[in-house]
Amino acid sequence: MIRVLVVDDHPVVRSGLSGMLSVTDDITVVGEAGDGSEALALVESTRPDVVLMDLRMPRMDGVAATGAIVSGYPSTRVLVLTTYDTDTDILHAVEAGAAGYLLKDTPHADLLNGIRAAARGETVLAPPVAARLMSRLRTPTTPAAAPSPRELEVLAAVARGLSNAEIGRELFIGEATVKTHLQRLFAKLDVDDRTRAVTVAIERGLLPSPGR
């Protein structure tokens, strides 16, 4: 039997997956978790063969949990199951050590086969995800341009919790200009949302850490 832990912050999704897997002869669900922290605790107590891992969850997200599981429990394989297929999400999951990356619209039979393949130690990628990775690998990488001083002013205001309209008033620029600065920042930092942009900027020393 393949022992599976289901991790998703939506109870309906968890119960649906667990119900689907429970009627499969060679797969058994050993637990459910609503975030990465709960997943780590359950991996310790249940020692699953495969963890079905959502990405965006409260407290500890799927990427952080994947890295912790892979480093602490090398016999457990993490198979990402998410609705997100952006380059950033895929790369972060793969870099964290995920054994595979499937989307939630994956057909039932393909999901079951993906779990079996992950348990055997194989890599499992949804076709759109594989195509994105291949495209990324084939595209020559060039050093990203550094954020401009004005872009960093905008991002610092985002870090303080200001809305685009509030940032525009504070910096005496239009709201559309604020959005343009943010879009350029997202591209330069290789992120796709405001929270991640602030986090990456702090990690790279572009913004001071909170409390400093």
Side-chain angles (χ1 to χ4, degrees), residues 81-199:
L81 182 64
T82 182
T83 58
Y84 304 103
D85 64 348
T86 67
D87 288 0
T88 302
D89 286 315
I90 295 167
L91 287 173
H92 287 162
V94 171
E95 288 169 356
Y101 198 112
L102 295 178
L103 303 176
K104 287 183 177 176
D105 61 0
T106 297
H108 181 179
D110 291 347
L111 175 58
L112 296 179
N113 287 333
I115 292 171
R116 293 172 181 127
R120 291 194 300 266
E122 299 171 14
T123 300
V124 184
L125 295 174
V129 173
R132 279 181 174 275
L133 281 176
M134 290 302 296
S135 175
R136 183 87 176 204
L137 291 172
R138 289 170 180 156
T139 302
T141 57
T142 57
S148 69
R150 180 57 111 181
E151 289 166 352
L152 289 177
E153 281 186 296
V154 171
L155 191 57
V158 170
R160 286 160 39 215
L162 300 187
S163 66
N164 287 356
E166 291 169 333
I167 295 170
R169 288 195 295 271
E170 181 174 290
L171 300 180
F172 302 104
I173 57 178
E175 189 172 349
T177 303
V178 174
K179 291 180 181 178
T180 298
H181 284 315
L182 287 174
Q183 288 169 355
R184 289 173 179 166
L185 270 166
F186 290 175
K188 290 177 178 179
L189 299 177
D190 192 24
V191 300
D192 54 13
D193 62 63
R194 296 159 70 98
T195 301
R196 183 66 185 162
V198 171
T199 301

Side-chain angles (χ1 to χ4, degrees), residues 22-37:
S22 65
V23 297
T24 306
D25 292 340
D26 59 339
I27 297 173
T28 183
V29 176
V30 296
E32 298 179 14
D35 60 50
S37 297

